[in-house]
PDB file of all heavy atoms in Angstrom:
ATOM      1  N   ALA A 385     -28.963  29.774 -38.566  1.00  0.00           N
ATOM      2  CA  ALA A 385     -28.646  29.175 -39.860  1.00  0.00           C
ATOM      3  C   ALA A 385     -27.697  30.029 -40.689  1.00  0.00           C
ATOM      4  O   ALA A 385     -26.920  29.518 -41.489  1.00  0.00           O
ATOM      5  CB  ALA A 385     -29.951  28.939 -40.650  1.00  0.00           C
ATOM      6  N   VAL A 386     -27.749  31.350 -40.505  1.00  0.00           N
ATOM      7  CA  VAL A 386     -26.851  32.248 -41.249  1.00  0.00           C
ATOM      8  C   VAL A 386     -25.466  32.280 -40.636  1.00  0.00           C
ATOM      9  O   VAL A 386     -24.445  32.236 -41.335  1.00  0.00           O
ATOM     10  CB  VAL A 386     -27.470  33.673 -41.338  1.00  0.00           C
ATOM     11  CG1 VAL A 386     -26.521  34.644 -41.996  1.00  0.00           C
ATOM     12  CG2 VAL A 386     -28.799  33.624 -42.105  1.00  0.00           C
ATOM     13  N   LYS A 387     -25.429  32.381 -39.343  1.00  0.00           N
ATOM     14  CA  LYS A 387     -24.142  32.534 -38.658  1.00  0.00           C
ATOM     15  C   LYS A 387     -23.364  31.201 -38.558  1.00  0.00           C
ATOM     16  O   LYS A 387     -22.122  31.231 -38.516  1.00  0.00           O
ATOM     17  CB  LYS A 387     -24.338  33.108 -37.234  1.00  0.00           C
ATOM     18  CG  LYS A 387     -24.935  34.516 -37.236  1.00  0.00           C
ATOM     19  CD  LYS A 387     -25.200  34.982 -35.784  1.00  0.00           C
ATOM     20  CE  LYS A 387     -25.785  36.373 -35.795  1.00  0.00           C
ATOM     21  NZ  LYS A 387     -26.093  36.828 -34.409  1.00  0.00           N
ATOM     22  N   ALA A 388     -24.056  30.109 -38.467  1.00  0.00           N
ATOM     23  CA  ALA A 388     -23.396  28.818 -38.201  1.00  0.00           C
ATOM     24  C   ALA A 388     -22.250  28.512 -39.177  1.00  0.00           C
ATOM     25  O   ALA A 388     -21.144  28.219 -38.733  1.00  0.00           O
ATOM     26  CB  ALA A 388     -24.431  27.720 -38.233  1.00  0.00           C
ATOM     27  N   PRO A 389     -22.469  28.619 -40.511  1.00  0.00           N
ATOM     28  CA  PRO A 389     -21.327  28.301 -41.409  1.00  0.00           C
ATOM     29  C   PRO A 389     -20.205  29.337 -41.316  1.00  0.00           C
ATOM     30  O   PRO A 389     -19.031  28.991 -41.549  1.00  0.00           O
ATOM     31  CB  PRO A 389     -21.970  28.329 -42.797  1.00  0.00           C
ATOM     32  CG  PRO A 389     -23.261  29.092 -42.639  1.00  0.00           C
ATOM     33  CD  PRO A 389     -23.708  28.875 -41.257  1.00  0.00           C
ATOM     34  N   ILE A 390     -20.519  30.568 -40.968  1.00  0.00           N
ATOM     35  CA  ILE A 390     -19.482  31.585 -40.784  1.00  0.00           C
ATOM     36  C   ILE A 390     -18.627  31.282 -39.544  1.00  0.00           C
ATOM     37  O   ILE A 390     -17.399  31.248 -39.642  1.00  0.00           O
ATOM     38  CB  ILE A 390     -20.105  32.982 -40.657  1.00  0.00           C
ATOM     39  CG1 ILE A 390     -20.903  33.329 -41.928  1.00  0.00           C
ATOM     40  CG2 ILE A 390     -19.049  34.027 -40.383  1.00  0.00           C
ATOM     41  CD1 ILE A 390     -21.735  34.605 -41.763  1.00  0.00           C
ATOM     42  N   PHE A 391     -19.254  30.993 -38.433  1.00  0.00           N
ATOM     43  CA  PHE A 391     -18.538  30.702 -37.214  1.00  0.00           C
ATOM     44  C   PHE A 391     -17.748  29.416 -37.325  1.00  0.00           C
ATOM     45  O   PHE A 391     -16.677  29.300 -36.733  1.00  0.00           O
ATOM     46  CB  PHE A 391     -19.507  30.546 -36.036  1.00  0.00           C
ATOM     47  CG  PHE A 391     -20.194  31.880 -35.650  1.00  0.00           C
ATOM     48  CD1 PHE A 391     -21.253  31.862 -34.726  1.00  0.00           C
ATOM     49  CD2 PHE A 391     -19.801  33.091 -36.199  1.00  0.00           C
ATOM     50  CE1 PHE A 391     -21.886  33.029 -34.358  1.00  0.00           C
ATOM     51  CE2 PHE A 391     -20.450  34.277 -35.812  1.00  0.00           C
ATOM     52  CZ  PHE A 391     -21.475  34.222 -34.923  1.00  0.00           C
ATOM     53  N   ALA A 392     -18.252  28.436 -38.104  1.00  0.00           N
ATOM     54  CA  ALA A 392     -17.575  27.179 -38.255  1.00  0.00           C
ATOM     55  C   ALA A 392     -16.310  27.273 -39.123  1.00  0.00           C
ATOM     56  O   ALA A 392     -15.484  26.365 -39.139  1.00  0.00           O
ATOM     57  CB  ALA A 392     -18.522  26.140 -38.822  1.00  0.00           C
ATOM     58  N   ASN A 393     -16.188  28.344 -39.863  1.00  0.00           N
ATOM     59  CA  ASN A 393     -15.089  28.520 -40.767  1.00  0.00           C
ATOM     60  C   ASN A 393     -13.835  29.017 -39.967  1.00  0.00           C
ATOM     61  O   ASN A 393     -13.862  30.083 -39.384  1.00  0.00           O
ATOM     62  CB  ASN A 393     -15.442  29.555 -41.846  1.00  0.00           C
ATOM     63  CG  ASN A 393     -14.434  29.592 -42.966  1.00  0.00           C
ATOM     64  OD1 ASN A 393     -13.230  29.516 -42.753  1.00  0.00           O
ATOM     65  ND2 ASN A 393     -14.954  29.740 -44.189  1.00  0.00           N
ATOM     66  N   LYS A 394     -12.813  28.207 -40.010  1.00  0.00           N
ATOM     67  CA  LYS A 394     -11.621  28.544 -39.202  1.00  0.00           C
ATOM     68  C   LYS A 394     -11.045  29.919 -39.620  1.00  0.00           C
ATOM     69  O   LYS A 394     -10.497  30.671 -38.809  1.00  0.00           O
ATOM     70  CB  LYS A 394     -10.544  27.473 -39.348  1.00  0.00           C
ATOM     71  CG  LYS A 394      -9.336  27.710 -38.474  1.00  0.00           C
ATOM     72  CD  LYS A 394      -8.372  26.540 -38.444  1.00  0.00           C
ATOM     73  CE  LYS A 394      -7.494  26.489 -39.673  1.00  0.00           C
ATOM     74  NZ  LYS A 394      -6.385  25.510 -39.567  1.00  0.00           N
ATOM     75  N   ASP A 395     -11.121  30.260 -40.884  1.00  0.00           N
ATOM     76  CA  ASP A 395     -10.627  31.527 -41.347  1.00  0.00           C
ATOM     77  C   ASP A 395     -11.322  32.715 -40.699  1.00  0.00           C
ATOM     78  O   ASP A 395     -10.696  33.791 -40.554  1.00  0.00           O
ATOM     79  CB  ASP A 395     -10.684  31.634 -42.876  1.00  0.00           C
ATOM     80  CG  ASP A 395      -9.586  30.828 -43.563  1.00  0.00           C
ATOM     81  OD1 ASP A 395      -8.622  30.492 -42.898  1.00  0.00           O
ATOM     82  OD2 ASP A 395      -9.715  30.585 -44.786  1.00  0.00           O
ATOM     83  N   PHE A 396     -12.531  32.542 -40.323  1.00  0.00           N
ATOM     84  CA  PHE A 396     -13.273  33.609 -39.591  1.00  0.00           C
ATOM     85  C   PHE A 396     -12.591  33.845 -38.286  1.00  0.00           C
ATOM     86  O   PHE A 396     -12.336  35.006 -37.867  1.00  0.00           O
ATOM     87  CB  PHE A 396     -14.740  33.236 -39.457  1.00  0.00           C
ATOM     88  CG  PHE A 396     -15.532  34.257 -38.655  1.00  0.00           C
ATOM     89  CD1 PHE A 396     -15.874  35.477 -39.232  1.00  0.00           C
ATOM     90  CD2 PHE A 396     -15.956  34.018 -37.370  1.00  0.00           C
ATOM     91  CE1 PHE A 396     -16.627  36.442 -38.551  1.00  0.00           C
ATOM     92  CE2 PHE A 396     -16.737  34.954 -36.687  1.00  0.00           C
ATOM     93  CZ  PHE A 396     -17.027  36.155 -37.256  1.00  0.00           C
ATOM     94  N   ARG A 397     -12.282  32.757 -37.553  1.00  0.00           N
ATOM     95  CA  ARG A 397     -11.640  32.896 -36.253  1.00  0.00           C
ATOM     96  C   ARG A 397     -10.212  33.449 -36.382  1.00  0.00           C
ATOM     97  O   ARG A 397      -9.778  34.263 -35.556  1.00  0.00           O
ATOM     98  CB  ARG A 397     -11.616  31.543 -35.541  1.00  0.00           C
ATOM     99  CG  ARG A 397     -13.026  30.958 -35.330  1.00  0.00           C
ATOM    100  CD  ARG A 397     -13.040  29.782 -34.436  1.00  0.00           C
ATOM    101  NE  ARG A 397     -12.366  28.593 -34.904  1.00  0.00           N
ATOM    102  CZ  ARG A 397     -12.829  27.744 -35.774  1.00  0.00           C
ATOM    103  NH1 ARG A 397     -14.024  27.938 -36.312  1.00  0.00           N
ATOM    104  NH2 ARG A 397     -12.132  26.664 -36.150  1.00  0.00           N
ATOM    105  N   ILE A 398      -9.522  33.022 -37.435  1.00  0.00           N
ATOM    106  CA  ILE A 398      -8.194  33.553 -37.668  1.00  0.00           C
ATOM    107  C   ILE A 398      -8.245  35.066 -37.930  1.00  0.00           C
ATOM    108  O   ILE A 398      -7.446  35.808 -37.408  1.00  0.00           O
ATOM    109  CB  ILE A 398      -7.521  32.805 -38.830  1.00  0.00           C
ATOM    110  CG1 ILE A 398      -7.292  31.342 -38.477  1.00  0.00           C
ATOM    111  CG2 ILE A 398      -6.192  33.496 -39.185  1.00  0.00           C
ATOM    112  CD1 ILE A 398      -6.786  30.522 -39.639  1.00  0.00           C
ATOM    113  N   ALA A 399      -9.261  35.467 -38.709  1.00  0.00           N
ATOM    114  CA  ALA A 399      -9.382  36.894 -39.035  1.00  0.00           C
ATOM    115  C   ALA A 399      -9.648  37.685 -37.747  1.00  0.00           C
ATOM    116  O   ALA A 399      -9.082  38.763 -37.503  1.00  0.00           O
ATOM    117  CB  ALA A 399     -10.531  37.086 -40.026  1.00  0.00           C
ATOM    118  N   LEU A 400     -10.540  37.181 -36.916  1.00  0.00           N
ATOM    119  CA  LEU A 400     -10.811  37.878 -35.649  1.00  0.00           C
ATOM    120  C   LEU A 400      -9.531  37.985 -34.761  1.00  0.00           C
ATOM    121  O   LEU A 400      -9.350  38.991 -34.072  1.00  0.00           O
ATOM    122  CB  LEU A 400     -11.921  37.155 -34.845  1.00  0.00           C
ATOM    123  CG  LEU A 400     -13.314  37.136 -35.478  1.00  0.00           C
ATOM    124  CD1 LEU A 400     -14.311  36.475 -34.516  1.00  0.00           C
ATOM    125  CD2 LEU A 400     -13.806  38.515 -35.878  1.00  0.00           C
TER     126      LEU A 400
END
Side-chain angles (χ1 to χ4, degrees):
V386 174
K387 296 177 183 178
I390 298 171
F391 293 171
N393 192 320
K394 185 172 78 170
D395 282 343
F396 178 72
R397 302 192 294 280
I398 295 173
L400 295 185

